[in-house]
């Protein structure tokens, strides 16, 4: 399975593509889509959609893993990021790619094993799990790889409910 992790933003959108087969994960590529600072938000959103559609066409992911929004103290920035995230969701749907959303705590739990892990711990586990020579840069790309890893671990940890004797208790 080819998993494209996306760390949403409006100035920098991190992406990371991995393959996941059973317990094996491999990093294929990572990077960032950027928009110039002087552009109006509407132009930046248009560029994000166009660039993301091109990226999906090039990378051909089977699934996309994207971070749910977490608002901190800067509501103005949060609203702009929410607009950009909406464009990313729209683009995934337009391209017909299944989309899965994860909170920061879910990503930390899946990658580090602790939902309140520090960012450096997540980066270190990215480095280890993907057998990388260095921690990916920019941080947005590293976050996107963590989102892809989160989905790889979440998707492979679910027990299939094909046997009628097995009942879901949640």
């Amino acid at each position: 399975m080819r998993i494209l992790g996306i760390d949403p933003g409006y100035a920098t959108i991190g992406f990371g593509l991995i393959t996941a087969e059973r317990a094996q994960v491999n990093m294929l590529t990572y990077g960032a889509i950027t928009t110039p600072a002087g552009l109006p938000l509407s132009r930046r959103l248009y560029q994000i959609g166009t660039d993301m559609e091109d990226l999906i066409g090039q990378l051909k992911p089977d699934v996309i893993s994207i971070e749910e929004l977490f608002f901190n103290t800067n509501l103005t920035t949060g609203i702009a990021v929410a607009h950009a995230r909406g464009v990313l969701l729209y683009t995934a749907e337009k391209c017909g790619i299944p989309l899965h959303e994860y909170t920061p705590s879910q990503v930390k739990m899946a990658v580090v094993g602790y939902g309140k892990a520090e960012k450096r711990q997540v980066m270190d586990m990215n480095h280890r799990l993907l057998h990388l020579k260095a921690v990916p840069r920019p941080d947005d790309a590293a976050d996107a790889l963590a989102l892809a890893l989160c989905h790889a671990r979440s998707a492979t940890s679910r027990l299939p409910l094909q046997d009628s004797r097995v009942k879901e208790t949640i």
Side-chain angles (χ1 to χ4, degrees):
M1 170 176 16
R2 292 169 68 91
I3 304 168
L4 178 60
I6 300 291
D7 182 37
Y10 67 94
T12 304
I13 300 94
F15 68 87
L17 182 70
I18 66 169
T19 58
E21 297 298 328
R22 301 184 191 257
Q24 289 289 107
V25 292
N26 295 297
M27 190 276 300
L28 298 177
T29 190
Y30 63 86
I33 292 171
T34 59
T35 61
L39 291 180
L41 181 60
S42 60
R43 179 69 189 141
R44 288 175 117 170
L45 296 175
Y46 176 81
Q47 183 178 337
I48 289 166
T50 303
D51 290 352
M52 185 55 59
E53 197 168 337
D54 290 346
L55 186 70
I56 289 170
Q58 289 172 19
L59 301 182
K60 299 182 182 2
D62 297 311
V63 64
I64 292 175
S65 174
I66 191 167
E67 187 175 46
E68 286 188 9
L69 281 186
F70 173 75
F71 283 96
N72 53 14
T73 55
N74 191 340
L75 190 57
T76 303
T77 300
I79 291 171
V81 173
H83 288 312
R85 188 174 177 279
V87 170
L88 295 166
L89 297 175
Y90 168 81
T91 304
E93 189 66 31
K94 180 179 177 185
C95 293
I97 309 298
L99 185 77
H100 299 271
E101 302 173 58
Y102 297 97
T103 65
S105 294
Q106 288 173 311
V107 174
K108 292 172 182 179
M109 180 61 84
V111 176
V112 179
Y114 177 57
K116 294 184 180 183
E118 294 178 22
K119 189 171 189 85
R120 65 174 177 74
Q121 292 172 298
V122 176
M123 298 305 144
D124 183 54
M125 287 305 293
N126 268 355
H127 179 258
R128 291 174 187 219
L129 293 170
L130 293 170
H131 311 289
L132 303 174
K133 293 180 181 177
V135 174
R137 297 283 179 224
D139 285 352
D140 307 276
D143 290 345
L145 285 170
L147 280 150
L149 281 170
C150 175
H151 183 72
R153 291 185 154 207
S154 298
T156 58
S157 69
R158 296 183 183 133
L159 294 173
L161 298 175
Q162 296 172 357
D163 185 13
S164 62
R165 296 171 293 167
V166 177
K167 302 290 183 211
E168 190 169 3
T169 59
I170 298 176

